[in-house]
Amino acid sequence: MRFQQFDQFAAELKADTRAAVYDGSKKGHEKRTKLLFDEYPDPNRLRHLAGEIKQHVIENLDTYLPAVEAKMKANGVQVHWAGTAEAANEAVLRIMRARGATKLVKAKTMVSEETELAAFLEKHGIEALETDLGEFIVQIDGDHPSHIVKPIIHKNRREIAQSFEREGLGAYNDDPATITQRARKFLRHKYLVADVGLTGANFVSAESGRMVLVTNEGNSRFCLAATKCHIAMIGIEKIVPRDYDLALFLNLLARSATAQELTVYTEFISGPKSPVQPDGPEVMHVIFVDNGRTEVLASTCREILRCIRCGACLNVCPVYRQASGHAYRSVYPGPVGAVLSPLLMGDKFPQKADLPKASSLCGACNEVCPVNIPIPDLLLRLRNRAKEENVPSPGTPPMGAWALLASQPLAWRASLLGGKLIDYVPTKLIPVPALQAWAAKRALPAWRGGEFRKWLKARRK
Amino acid sequence: MLNAERAPVTGKRVQLMATCLCDAFYDDVAAATVEVLEHLGVEVIFPEGQTCCGQPAFNGGDWVASRKVVRHTVKTFAGDEPVVVPSGSCAAMMFHGAVLEFENESDLPEVEALGRRTWELGDFIVNGLGVKTWPGKFAATVALHRACHTRGTGSIAAANLLLKSIVGVQVVEFGEVEQCCGFGGTFSVAFPNISTAMGALKLDHLRAAKPDILVSPDMSCMMHLTGLAAKEGQPIKAMHLAQVLRDALKAQ
Amino acid sequence: MTAPDDRESILSRVRGALAPLHERAPLPDYSTEIAVMRSLVAGRDLVELLGERMKRVNGLALTEVAALVAHLRAGGWLHGYCDPVLWPRLAPHFGAELKVETEFDRTRVDDYAFGITRAAGAIAESGTLILHDATTSRRLAALTPWVHVAVVERAQIFSDLPQAVAALGRDPNVIWCTGPSKTADVEGILIEGVHGPGQQIALVLG
């Protein structure tokens, strides 16, 4: 392989897909930044603080997890633990079968994307319907989301209108309002006949066992207003210490994710519905999912577990904007995905070891992260891990000889003089294909090896 | 993210880390750095044994190779004078990158110590020496490139302050200043298509602002952008901050 | 129902992962005041501020029943649901033109153009209505009609988010609604009324 697969993918991306991804992410970033800086004298303090709180949580999960479990049980929630994606899916299936349930409506949850829950349930004869508009479109298209909060950032209205027509949701009409109304009309009757509503959780308060769920569309609320059984799949890192901390996190999440002061629906759920309430789940199950997280916790990249899935790092990332989310071949694209996705692979890390290299290490991701994750540092650590595990990496020149040269001053100075040759080698003859591609697009400055040292010597005389 | 804490500057003697890019291509940037520092009454020592900061291997993931070079650099820049670098990324390599890759090494303290006394040039002039204005004259409209490795440091504010204080300099803003030029070291080799697209975008924004000169506090971004522009057949004029400061002095 | 081994193995892996840490990051001490838009909130009449902030998210705050009735008429939303507890208070203002049911029938969700329920409070800073299981007669009635009207008592308006978080209380389900249901999934274009109401109205009384 001459080039990185990721770079090839970006090069072959359709022009209008690239434009859609670029415009969508750029706008998202600009709105977020304006909102944060308009409203707070020092938004960076909020980010740093939130990062410290989450770091505290992940470094104390051994006490927080049992504490949350105890609170939830006391609140009447049935708590389950799933070590793997398969175990998590099996747990959902078991709960459904025990109820004789056959229809599930689900809100957007990244962890269920990890476990590919919908496909698993369908295979076992259960109708599992995505209700977030973007996720619904992804589902009917058999596609994959390409952004954490804007799953169909890569699609345009014409493609969506065609999908709706194909699925019998109405004659071709690419007006976004019409598309939305058709989904509304179709989905509301699906919720009402569903047995189980499945959601994730954005935060779980260890103090109260309350889980917090945010959506703009109201689909998760509909799941929890229409069905009698609620299953929440929750990554074990989703905890915040206290209810008190929620104001900070909710403010940061809404602004970072969608440039809103607050997400439209923020639901605080500590158990099954109140006895005085006719609508909503009588039974609530929580499945705490590991699926590789404890391995991340044991790694030198555990800071990535602070992530609150806002997508701000995708929006600002110049590489994401050029390559789109599908270039990452993972549930989590963008800078956070370049760290998290290879880590979640466990032993199969080499399969995604190229992702940490797909970054110019510009650091913009760290600058916008609402929990201040040092993403570039983590990318670097993973590059080092890939090297230590001898994962082949096209386009990465071997550094051993260079290091030898750069630690021997005499040899270094000799090469400064010899480097003049570079001026005479035609691009076509450069022996490394990737370097050839580099030089085909960029002129090198003239070689001036050793000239400065000469100049300085003359000046000092 | 950066370990950007600096030891306060005492005395007027510095060691110059000229960087491999100056050694190989940008000799005039290193020369300008010497002249600028000497103008400020600073004695400049040039440790002859210097080579590279170790960044290429560090970014490439080969930390064994990188540490070898960093150890050489630590040895070469012994002493307690500030080390001044006309490059934001080499400076960041010393005070951040090297610290990261030496986390579990017994000689971490030596590496950290070098980091604490390493300064990017503009940062050193303004925040190290406390110089807030620049004399002389330089008649040009300039655009200041935000080299990514200066994020979280005082470098860009310092460069802006100095440039704006020079008689004749007009600093113009341009779109998406916080976006990367696409270089990223080995990234530009392994991901040439994305890198080129990022650079082209940066050039579009820069050209729209119509500066006479692009000013950069880092040679690598400058090399990338001028190299792309030249191959496109629409060369841009770029100068390192040190060169602008030096040329302003000449016009005094 | 759970395979018991997963709990133990996860917790044991967590303990194992954390064991090598020499120290654990402490919980920082801070005041949530830093997350409040204080300059916006300070010294303001909360009803007025709630109205302003709701407007910003395309919601609507009204202070008179007559104005609500006029709004419903003007929009052609003539058939709806009202919480039976509220109805005696509101009925005198509703003319015969509007058909109001005080029983919500989930088999006919599309029949209700509006739903009027009680709110447990509101948050002025964010333009948010707070619904509790205990006071919102039907979750579905506040969600499925195109227009949702939440009746808020003046005294129940919090100034900011931290205040409202502190008052979450013991209800197993609290939901904050900030403007109408919306999406920007299709080409980033804002569309209101996705699964929930396309109009979110606060009727502030008392």
Side-chain angles (χ1 to χ4, degrees), chain A residues 7 22 26 316 321 357 360 362 367 377 381 383-384 406 412 438-439 442-443 448-450 453 459-460, chain B residues 23-24 27 38 44 48 50-51 59 61 96 103 151 176 179-180 188 191-195 224 227 231:
Chain A
D7 192 55
Y22 180 84
K26 178 170 179 279
V316 79
R321 288 180 185 182
K357 302 220 164 186
S360 65
C362 80
E367 228 169 49
D377 288 358
R381 288 197 168 120
R383 290 182 184 191
N384 180 230
W412 179 263
W438 198 94
R442 304 163 186 84
R448 302 275 300 166
R453 293 171 191 245
R459 185 181 172 86
R460 294 283 187 250
Chain B
D23 238 355
D27 54 317
E38 288 183 352
V44 180
E48 282 286 333
Q50 63 181 278
T51 56
N59 286 354
H96 185 77
E103 243 168 3
R151 281 179 210 272
E176 298 197 85
Q179 287 271 305
C180 175
S188 64
F191 299 79
N193 291 303
I194 297 173
S195 165
H224 190 233
K231 266 281 159 113

Side-chain angles (χ1 to χ4, degrees), chain A residues 206-225:
Chain A
E207 172 193 45
S208 59
R210 229 185 269 279
M211 57 169 265
V212 185
L213 201 54
V214 307
T215 69
N216 274 317
E217 296 182 3
N219 57 318
S220 65
R221 176 60 166 182
F222 215 143
C223 292
L224 301 187

Side-chain angles (χ1 to χ4, degrees), chain A residues 82-97:
Chain A
T84 60
E86 298 72 42
N89 290 343
E90 291 287 351
V92 175
L93 185 63
R94 250 194 332 268
I95 295 165
M96 294 201 62
R97 286 205 169 137

